[in-house]
């Protein structure tokens, strides 16, 4: 018996130095010799492109350093280095520190991804020198004989040399959903996968020579895939860029005109006006939040193959679960073999004694080269040494999810010749057969039931089951995952609707789901009764929780039907019958021990098969999305008030109220430091669409209020003592700090001890800057008298009240707000 290839997740794919096909032709039963392998390796005819699950170190550094906004900040920093003093260039050091944090966090994420990808790299089986061995995907050479079994992915192009009911799904390459029955001499393409049977093929194209391998290599490169969060932030940044240019030009001209006797002071205040307009930390914190999410999930053996998958799962409101391998463990046990009475005389040519049935089932198990969990349970119960009972295999047909049965044609010990079938009773039996009542009763208890029967027709007949004599029911017990019930409760508490979509009988699936306490499980629907009209299917999919007897194509259609109703759908699965649905779902989640094909199309792979890891993935996504929305409010409020201040300064022809050092301390204490902590805080709120709209609802009015309040306090202070620009700047700085802290306090809600501590610490730090002589001199802050500071505080309070009104009546009460 051929043992299945080791299956774990990998993100790198096929590619190597191409070489012309030469040497031994296809079909060598013993495979290549070691000398022939070494010869091909020397010629570069090997599948040797390394696994690539993430960006290179060079790409990470370049992506974090060479950005549009870093360029703007870098130019401003260089200007300050020329005009001095150095304390006005502190903003440049902050950018360096933030960029360094981004690089370090993404390098940590890269290390996690790369190590998990190496752990999960698939190792196909090849035949060399007459023996079967496992090799890395990159170790396959031209003319290698590669073995295939159910669930295996074809990793290089080749020609079939052996086929035992070999059915290959090429839908990922051709778009055709129907499996293709392969015969010796037929081509196979990398990227396809085996859905039934077993076989072998000779590699005729390896590496970049195979077109499908080129596609796979390109598709699995690390990319920051488009997401609503990233596209929304990019849209905001493009708009800010358009505002930035005219505001900066106006500010430069006005400050040079106002400070004509001190051009260095004019330049410093021009820089102070431009730098706060740039929300440079917003993009950085987004990358950091995603990267930390990857690291956190990697510690739980969860491989995130695309970073935005974290965001996608956070937006999910419906999760479709395959029962087998997700709610239940892969293993099964035979609990009963129940013989059936003959339907009518004459008597059967072969008696249905339990001993004969056990012998037949054991022989069927030994004939299956790649047993599925049900057949493995039969083998464990009845399999014995090969050939001890006289059952001779003439032909075998492995289980297919499309047929719902497997079969073996025997020369029986009694001398007769017949086909024995093992499969779904409701498929093999007529609708009125009395045994179906027993099947339903057993299924209602959560048991899995198979029918074993004997047919005089050969397996290659159009329908071997048409003359089937049903002999017995094989009753199996599935092992429920101990974490399944708790995980379903989590989804229910988070308003994520779980739907079970399984190829097993509806009654059996409903029983398992009911045992786990899934709402609506008692109304399981047989997928064979589902309507074909898409609108009607969407209605049924929306109101139904459990589906049984679902074909792979129907799984795909159900996912599409749910999506057509406006749902964001995640699909979990481990078998090849789940691949189509995984590919079409908004987020595909594969089990690490599942087929290589499912892991190839999934965005998230649970390497240790723990269904209980899913809540962690959902929680991580919600943390990232919810917190980025919080900090986006802070950054964009700053951008709006900075642009408004620049416009007002230009119109009123006055010195810009701040120096760069003032902008640095304001940005650090009210935005930069708090945003870093808020971006990493727990957050369980489900992500929603409309990110840009919600952020701007607070950022625009909040920025206008903050800018107006600051400029009002500044102008009143100038009216009191126009010659003391330091005192005027100090009043404006105090006012803006208080208003910005009010915005921070609103964004940080709901409060807990650490958030209140964070707000209090930022306030205390600013108080130190004002009252510690060294710091106040360093930052050129000096509050003169009581009147102007108190006026600034009063204006800040009024601004705070206006902010609360905006928060309550504009943000909170607008649809999709909050």
């Amino acid at each position: 018996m051929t043992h299945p290839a080791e299956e774990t997740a990998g993100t790198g794919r096929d590619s190597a130095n191409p070489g012309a096909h030469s040497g031994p032709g296809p079909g060598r039963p013993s495979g290549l010799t070691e000398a022939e392998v070494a010869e091909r390796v020397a010629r570069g005819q090997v599948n040797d492109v390394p696994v690539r699950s993430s960006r290179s170190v060079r790409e990470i550094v370049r992506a974090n350093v060479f950005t549009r906004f870093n360029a703007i900040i870098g130019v401003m920093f260089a200007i300050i280095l020329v005009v001095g003093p150095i304390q006005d260039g502190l903003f440049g050091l902050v950018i360096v520190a933030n960029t360094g944090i981004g690089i370090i966090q993404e390098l940590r994420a890269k290390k996690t991804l790369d190590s998990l990808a190496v752990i999960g790299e698939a190792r196909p089986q090849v035949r060399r020198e007459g023996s079967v061995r496992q090799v890395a995907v990159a170790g396959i050479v031209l003319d290698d004989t590669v073995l295939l079994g159910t669930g295996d992915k074809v990793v290089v192009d080749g020609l079939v040399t052996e086929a035992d009911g070999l059915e290959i799904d090429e839908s990922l390459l051709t778009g055709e959903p129907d499996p293709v029955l392969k015969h010796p001499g037929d081509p196979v393409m990398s990227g396809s996968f085996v859905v039934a049977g077993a076989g072998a093929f000779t590699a005729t194209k390896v590496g970049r020579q195979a077109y499908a391998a080129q596609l796979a290599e390109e598709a699995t490169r690390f990319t920051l895939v488009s997401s609503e969060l990233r596209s929304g932030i990019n849209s905001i940044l493009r708009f800010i860029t358009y505002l930035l240019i005219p505001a900066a030009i106006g500010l430069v001209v006005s400050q040079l005109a106002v400070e004509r006797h001190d051009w260095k002071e004019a330049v410093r205040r021009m820089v102070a006006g431009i730098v706060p307009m740039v929300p440079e930390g917003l993009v950085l914190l987004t990358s950091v939040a995603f990267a930390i999410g990857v690291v956190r999930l990697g510690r739980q053996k969860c491989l995130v193959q695309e970073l935005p998958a974290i965001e996608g799962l956070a937006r999910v409101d419906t999760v479709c679960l395959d029962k087998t391998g997700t709610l239940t463990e892969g293993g099964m046990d035979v609990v009963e073999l129940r013989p059936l009475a003959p339907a009518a005389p004459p008597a059967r040519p072969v008696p249905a004694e339990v001993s004969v049935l056990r012998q037949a089932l054991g022989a069927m198990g030994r004939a299956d080269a790649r047993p599925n969990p049900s057949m493995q349970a039969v083998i464990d119960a009845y399999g014995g040494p090969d050939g001890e009972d006289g059952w001779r295999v003439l032909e075998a047909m492995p289980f297919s999810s499309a047929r719902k049965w497997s079969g073996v044609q025997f020369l029986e010990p009694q001398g007769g010749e017949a086909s024995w079938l093992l499969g779904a009773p409701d498929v093999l039996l007529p609708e009125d057969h009395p045994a179906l009542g027993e099947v339903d009763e057993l299924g209602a208890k959560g048991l899995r039931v198979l029918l074993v029967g004997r047919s005089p027709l050969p397996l290659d007949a159009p329908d071997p089951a048409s003359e089937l004599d049903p002999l017995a029911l094989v009753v199996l017990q599935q092992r429920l995952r101990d974490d399944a019930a708790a995980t379903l409760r989590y989804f229910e508490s988070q308003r994520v609707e779980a739907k079970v979509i399984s190829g097993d009988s509806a009654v059996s699936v409903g029983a398992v789901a009911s045992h786990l306490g899934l709402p609506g499980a008692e109304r399981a629907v047989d997928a064979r009764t589902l309507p074909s009209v898409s609108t009607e299917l969407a209605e049924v999919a929306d109101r139904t929780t459990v589906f049984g007897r679902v074909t792979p194509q129907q799984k795909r259609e159900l996912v599409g039907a749910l999506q057509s109703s406006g749902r964001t759908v995640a699909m979990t699965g481990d078998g090849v019958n789940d691949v189509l649905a995984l590919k079409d779902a908004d987020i595909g989640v594969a089990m690490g021990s599942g087929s290589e094909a499912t892991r190839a199309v999934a965005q998230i792979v649970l390497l240790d098969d723990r269904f209980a890891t899913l809540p962690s993935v959902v929680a991580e996504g919600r943390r990232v999305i919810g917190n980025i929305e919080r900090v986006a409010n802070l950054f964009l409020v700053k951008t709006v008030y900075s642009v408004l201040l620049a416009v007002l300064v230009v119109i009123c022809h006055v010195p810009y109220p701040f120096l760069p050092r003032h902008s640095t301390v304001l940005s650090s204490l009210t935005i930069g430091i708090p945003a870093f902590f808020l971006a990493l805080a727990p957050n369980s709120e489900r992500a929603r669409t409309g990110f840009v709209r919600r952020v701007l609802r607070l950022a625009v009015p909040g920025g206008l209020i903050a800018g107006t309040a600051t400029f009002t306090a500044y102008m009143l202070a100038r009216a009191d003592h126009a010659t003391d620009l330091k005192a005027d700047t100090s009043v404006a700085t105090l006012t803006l700090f208080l208003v910005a802290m009010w915005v921070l306090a609103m964004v940080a809600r709901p409060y807990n001890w650490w958030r209140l501590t964070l707000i209090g610490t930022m306030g205390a730090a600013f108080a130190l800057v004002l009252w510690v002589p060294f710091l106040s001199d360093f930052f050129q802050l000096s509050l003169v008298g009581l009147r102007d500071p108190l006026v600034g505080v009063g204006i800040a309070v009024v601004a705070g009240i206006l902010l609360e009104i905006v928060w309550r009546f504009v943000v909170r009460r607008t649809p999709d707000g909050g």
Side-chain angles (χ1 to χ4, degrees):
M1 184 185 301
T2 303
H3 296 285
E6 183 177 307
E7 295 180 340
T8 43
T11 54
R13 288 295 176 264
D14 326 327
S15 186
N17 298 325
H21 179 58
S22 61
R28 293 185 56 182
S30 60
L32 299 177
T33 65
E34 291 299 329
E36 289 168 338
V37 171
E39 177 187 352
R40 283 156 177 76
V41 172
R43 290 204 301 258
Q45 298 171 335
V46 61
N47 215 45
D48 66 350
V49 163
V51 171
R52 185 158 188 241
S53 61
S54 59
R55 292 192 287 185
S56 67
V57 173
R58 182 178 178 181
E59 289 172 331
I60 290 172
V61 173
R62 185 170 63 242
N64 282 275
V65 173
F66 298 104
T67 66
R68 178 192 322 170
F69 294 108
N70 275 6
I72 297 172
I73 298 298
V75 170
M76 297 297 104
F77 180 64
I79 292 173
I80 290 298
L81 290 180
V82 174
V83 302
I86 190 61
Q87 54 262 47
D88 281 329
L90 290 177
F91 64 87
L93 301 180
V94 172
I95 296 302
V96 171
N98 285 345
T99 303
I101 291 171
I103 292 173
I104 291 170
Q105 291 294 355
E106 194 164 342
L107 287 176
R108 289 181 64 197
K110 170 184 168 58
K111 182 179 179 181
T112 300
L113 281 170
D114 289 350
S115 62
L116 290 176
V118 170
I119 292 171
E121 184 181 359
R123 297 179 64 82
Q125 288 183 316
V126 299
R127 187 183 294 129
R128 292 177 181 171
E129 295 189 329
S131 63
V132 175
R133 63 191 69 179
Q134 290 182 336
V135 298
V137 172
I140 295 176
V141 300
L142 200 67
D143 297 314
D144 249 333
T145 300
V146 184
L147 307 186
L148 293 174
T150 302
D152 287 348
K153 184 180 178 183
V154 180
V155 293
V156 293
D157 291 2
L159 294 175
V160 175
T161 56
E162 304 167 24
D164 182 10
L166 182 64
E167 297 180 27
I168 292 187
D169 191 318
E170 299 176 344
S171 62
L172 299 181
L173 302 174
T174 65
E176 294 294 331
D178 296 329
V180 179
L181 182 64
K182 295 291 184 178
H183 302 92
D186 289 346
V188 291
M189 294 185 291
S190 56
S192 57
F193 55 93
V194 181
V195 295
F201 71 94
T202 297
T204 58
K205 292 181 180 178
V206 293
R208 293 184 177 90
Q209 198 176 22
Y211 175 68
Q214 295 178 35
L215 296 180
E217 180 191 1
E218 184 66 27
T220 54
R221 285 179 180 167
F222 179 91
T223 54
L224 294 177
V225 181
S226 177
S227 67
E228 183 183 352
L229 181 63
R230 289 192 179 279
S231 61
I233 290 175
N234 288 336
S235 298
I236 293 171
L237 296 182
R238 280 195 301 271
F239 181 71
I240 289 172
T241 303
Y242 299 143
L243 285 179
L244 193 67
I245 296 173
I249 293 173
L251 199 57
V252 169
V253 173
S254 69
Q255 293 307 289
L256 287 174
V258 171
E259 302 284 354
R260 64 186 64 183
H261 300 297
D262 189 351
W263 68 271
K264 289 186 177 181
E265 181 73 7
V267 169
R268 282 195 292 270
R269 291 192 179 269
M270 176 269 294
V271 171
I274 293 176
V275 169
M277 298 180 193
V278 182
E280 71 290 329
L282 181 57
V283 177
L284 179 66
L285 274 178
T286 303
S287 298
V288 170
F290 273 129
I292 292 177
V294 169
V295 173
R296 285 178 172 175
L297 293 175
R299 291 173 182 157
Q300 301 184 52
K301 300 299 181 185
C302 175
L303 174 59
V304 181
Q305 306 202 88
E306 299 176 16
L307 288 185
I310 298 177
E311 173 191 348
L313 198 51
R315 300 188 187 280
V316 162
D317 53 27
T318 306
V319 57
C320 296
L321 311 168
D322 179 39
K323 176 179 68 68
T324 306
T326 304
L327 300 179
T328 60
E329 294 182 356
M332 304 184 74
D333 300 306
V334 176
V335 295
E336 183 183 1
L337 180 60
R338 183 178 295 187
L340 298 174
R348 294 169 176 144
V350 176
E353 285 89 358
V354 173
S355 60
V356 175
L357 293 172
R358 287 176 174 171
Q359 291 176 15
L361 287 168
M364 292 180 75
R366 291 192 298 271
D368 195 336
R370 297 292 180 96
N372 59 21
S374 299
M375 183 61 80
Q376 187 60 52
V378 171
I379 294 172
D380 293 341
Y382 306 121
D386 193 6
E388 71 171 8
D389 45 20
W391 294 77
R392 180 182 171 190
V393 177
L394 301 178
E395 186 179 351
M397 186 175 290
F399 178 82
S400 164
S401 58
R403 288 191 305 268
K404 301 293 185 186
W405 55 262
S406 61
V408 182
Q409 190 172 342
F410 287 117
L411 183 60
E412 299 167 334
Q414 298 85 353
E417 184 177 318
S419 296
W420 287 68
L421 307 184
L422 179 68
D426 52 346
V427 172
L428 294 174
L429 294 176
E431 293 182 0
D432 58 349
H433 197 282
L436 291 177
E438 294 182 60
V439 172
D440 290 342
E441 291 177 8
L442 293 167
K445 300 176 183 178
L447 300 171
R448 182 180 178 86
V449 184
L450 300 177
L451 175 79
V452 60
R454 181 180 183 276
S455 171
L457 301 177
L459 285 180
D460 57 4
D463 185 9
S466 61
E467 297 185 21
L468 186 72
D469 180 15
L471 300 179
L473 298 178
V474 182
V475 185
L476 303 103
Q477 188 173 42
Q478 297 175 316
R479 302 172 190 149
L480 293 178
R481 290 185 178 272
D482 53 10
D483 54 14
T487 305
L488 291 177
R489 296 291 78 72
Y490 169 82
F491 284 131
E492 186 177 356
S493 68
Q494 297 298 312
R495 293 174 296 152
V496 176
E497 188 173 356
K499 293 182 181 290
V500 182
I501 302 177
S502 174
D504 207 344
S505 72
V507 175
S508 176
V509 180
V512 170
S514 295
H515 184 74
L516 294 172
L518 184 65
E522 66 281 358
R523 298 184 299 276
V525 170
D526 191 313
R528 291 172 295 187
T529 65
L530 289 175
S532 57
V533 180
S534 57
T535 54
E536 296 177 4
L537 180 63
E539 292 178 4
V540 175
D542 190 60
R543 66 172 183 264
T544 305
T545 302
V546 177
F547 299 87
R549 286 287 171 249
V550 187
T551 65
Q553 183 60 31
Q554 283 180 314
K555 285 190 178 184
R556 185 184 209 175
E557 292 170 354
L558 283 170
V559 168
L562 291 167
Q563 290 170 326
S564 70
S565 301
R567 293 174 180 254
T568 303
V569 181
M571 176 73 197
T572 70
D574 64 345
V576 293
N577 59 324
D578 301 317
V579 169
L580 297 177
L582 283 170
K583 186 165 71 79
D584 282 5
D586 295 288
I587 295 294
V589 182
M591 296 295 172
S593 65
S595 72
E596 209 275 335
T598 59
R599 299 195 306 272
V601 300
Q603 288 84 27
I604 294 173
V605 180
L606 307 180
L607 291 178
D608 59 357
D609 289 350
R610 290 186 65 243
F611 181 46
T613 305
L614 271 182
S616 299
V617 181
V618 173
E620 194 62 35
R622 293 185 174 184
R623 183 192 64 78
V624 170
I625 306 307
N627 291 338
I628 292 302
E629 187 166 318
R630 285 179 186 272
V631 301
N633 280 305
L634 296 177
F635 282 103
L636 296 180
V637 164
K638 180 190 74 167
T639 297
V640 173
Y641 73 60
S642 299
V643 172
L644 177 61
L645 284 175
V647 171
L648 292 174
V649 162
V650 171
I651 293 173
C652 297
H653 205 63
V654 295
Y656 191 79
F658 305 117
L659 289 170
R661 68 195 76 173
H662 303 133
S663 299
T664 298
V665 73
L666 287 168
S667 297
S668 297
L669 296 181
T670 64
I671 299 169
I673 297 172
F676 184 79
F677 287 98
L678 290 175
L680 305 181
N683 192 324
S684 60
E685 184 178 356
R686 189 170 76 197
R688 296 159 292 159
T689 57
F691 164 76
V692 174
R693 187 172 61 254
R694 283 196 306 277
V695 169
L696 293 181
R697 278 205 293 262
L698 175 63
V700 172
L704 294 176
I705 291 170
T708 302
T710 302
F711 195 73
T712 301
Y714 175 59
M715 294 302 288
L716 290 176
R718 279 184 61 79
D720 192 26
H721 34 68
T723 58
D724 191 350
L725 185 56
K726 181 178 179 181
D728 302 338
T729 293
S730 300
V731 171
T733 303
L734 173 64
T735 305
L736 182 54
F737 175 81
L738 293 174
V739 178
M741 284 294 290
W742 205 305
V743 174
L744 172 62
M746 291 193 303
V747 168
R749 296 169 184 166
Y751 299 131
N752 54 28
W753 69 269
W754 71 263
R755 286 178 177 167
L756 291 174
T757 301
L758 176 65
I759 296 170
T761 302
M762 296 302 100
F766 185 73
L768 289 176
V769 170
L770 287 179
W771 290 315
V772 173
F774 166 73
L775 293 176
S776 61
D777 291 341
F778 184 84
F779 287 104
Q780 283 195 18
L781 290 174
S782 176
L783 295 173
V784 177
L786 288 176
R787 177 188 167 189
D788 291 331
L790 289 177
V791 168
V793 171
I795 292 173
V797 171
V798 173
I801 294 171
L802 291 175
L803 285 170
E804 291 292 345
I805 293 173
V806 169
W807 180 262
R808 293 179 183 275
F809 295 98
V810 178
V811 178
R812 303 288 291 180
R813 295 193 178 184
T814 306
D816 295 327

